[in-house]
Amino acid sequence: MSENILETIKLFYDYSGLQVLTGVDLQVEKGERHAIIGPNGAGKTTLFNVITGMYSPSRGKVMFKGKNVSGFKPHKLSRLGMGRSFQITSTFHNLSTFQNIRMGVLSRMGIRFNMFNRVDKMEEVTKETNAILERINLKEETHAPADALSYGKHRSLEVSLAMSTDPDLVMLDEPTAGMSRDETHNAVDLIRRLTEGKTMVIVEHDMDVVFSLADRITVLHHGKVLAVGKPDEIRNMKEVKDAYLGHRREV
Ligand SMILES: Nc1ncnc2c1ncn2[C@@H]1O[C@H](COP(=O)(O)OP(=O)(O)OP(=O)(O)O)[C@@H](O)[C@H]1O
Ligand SMILES: [Mg+2]
């Protein structure tokens, strides 16, 4: 039996009266890559923001590692081990790629060891930072300011930054939005490598990305869970097809 690292129980959220989440029951197992999909306006981003503490739920619970974390602020969730991709505006623009990643490595070691000031620890930090840069193919851009990176590389840096703190769960909201086909392909490869054996929740529009990354999928529709299953099951579900088609007809 696998355990749920993240669970939402009858989660509701409304924007001053507009009911957007209407009782979401989501279950994410430890060690899986879980995608949340659904037609435009289904409530995916809102759900992401409630889980990651940007918004407080109107009703219902968010359980993380068995603890009720409803309404916890992002920094508190991050300390508990929930990482999220940083938005493009919040990577450290004038720091180099190296310095950005080092921030993540430092914060992780700070939490675990609290030994910033030890020279041997700094050597370990530098080594680890370089190893990450190698893994994410940004070795050549080590000294470039984050600002100078291409859009795709910048977004990859965001994901890497989220992973460099080694969270127990990482939450990604459309990490490939706005990328070209090639950039998307590279980003999917990178995310797959970085999240191997880890727990990830990804909110994503792009079906190719979802089907190539997710172990399991939850489909949201009108602020509720419409279906849960493996990619192949979801692909063939009539109600899922109908939800997407119905939506397209409305637009
Ligand atoms: N800040 C806001 N204030 C009021 N209504 C909002 C706000 N943000 C989102 N909404 C509404 O909530 C509903 C769900 O939006 P949300 O962004 O969560 O959906 P989504 O599934 O992420 O959609 P998309 O696929 O377009 O990203 C939509 O009807 C949207 O118009
Ligand atoms: Mg969205």
Side-chain angles (χ1 to χ4, degrees):
M1 256 313 270
S2 32
E3 58 183 295
N4 290 330
I5 188 169
L6 176 74
E7 205 173 337
T8 69
I9 302 165
K10 301 218 173 349
L11 204 62
F12 284 75
Y13 188 81
D14 62 282
Y15 293 100
S16 31
L18 175 68
Q19 289 278 357
V20 173
L21 302 182
T22 55
V24 177
D25 292 311
L26 170 77
Q27 276 123 26
V28 177
E29 290 173 9
K30 194 163 188 280
E32 74 172 349
R33 295 170 172 129
H34 196 112
I36 297 171
I37 66 171
N40 292 115
K44 303 179 296 291
T45 299
T46 305
L47 176 61
F48 183 92
N49 285 331
V50 174
I51 292 172
T52 56
M54 301 296 285
Y55 307 152
S56 269
S58 323
R59 260 196 290 155
K61 278 196 249 181
V62 180
M63 304 292 293
F64 178 53
K65 299 202 282 189
K67 189 182 166 87
N68 184 352
V69 297
S70 315
F72 279 28
K73 294 276 178 283
H75 66 272
K76 201 162 170 190
L77 291 169
S78 147
R79 252 185 277 128
L80 289 173
M82 187 192 292
R84 57 170 297 175
S85 64
F86 290 73
Q87 292 305 302
I88 204 143
T89 44
S90 60
T91 51
F92 307 98
H93 283 240
N94 46 8
L95 297 187
S96 69
T97 305
F98 179 88
Q99 288 165 325
N100 265 284
I101 293 295
R102 191 177 57 184
M103 299 274 287
V105 173
L106 272 174
S107 91
R108 168 170 102 216
M109 296 203 164
I111 293 161
R112 301 256 165 102
F113 305 117
N114 202 17
M115 286 178 180
F116 285 160
N117 47 358
R118 288 197 20 205
V119 174
D120 56 334
K121 280 293 160 200
M122 282 317 287
E123 276 167 13
E124 198 181 321
V125 168
T126 302
K127 227 171 115 194
E128 170 78 12
T129 305
N130 280 322
I132 293 174
L133 287 169
E134 189 102 41
R135 227 180 319 145
I136 64 179
N137 298 331
L138 284 178
K139 203 83 183 93
E140 277 171 33
E141 288 85 358
T142 296
H143 300 294
D147 256 357
L149 298 178
S150 70
Y151 180 75
K153 287 196 166 175
H154 198 153
R155 299 235 49 188
S156 295
L157 178 62
E158 289 164 17
V159 175
S160 312
L161 200 49
M163 293 309 295
S164 65
T165 62
D166 197 20
D168 298 317
L169 163 71
V170 69
M171 303 278 305
L172 306 176
D173 188 14
E174 296 202 31
T176 65
M179 285 188 183
S180 68
R181 272 285 117 197
D182 275 358
E183 285 176 332
T184 299
H185 188 79
N186 290 335
V188 168
D189 268 357
L190 174 68
I191 293 168
R192 188 182 296 116
R193 273 187 290 134
L194 290 179
T195 58
E196 185 72 52
K198 317 245 172 186
T199 317
M200 168 181 86
V201 171
I202 183 172
V203 169
E204 184 59 66
H205 259 116
D206 188 323
M207 288 302 150
D208 292 342
V209 171
V210 169
F211 287 119
S212 61
L213 270 179
D215 302 313
R216 247 167 24 110
I217 298 174
T218 291
V219 185
L220 269 198
H221 188 41
H222 296 319
K224 265 203 182 70
V225 173
L226 175 73
V228 183
K230 298 216 158 67
D232 280 347
E233 296 164 348
I234 294 293
R235 207 197 296 264
N236 296 313
M237 275 184 200
K238 185 177 178 308
E239 57 267 49
V240 174
K241 287 183 202 158
D242 288 350
Y244 276 88
L245 288 175
H247 178 79
R248 225 169 277 154
R249 246 179 264 127
E250 277 163 28
V251 204

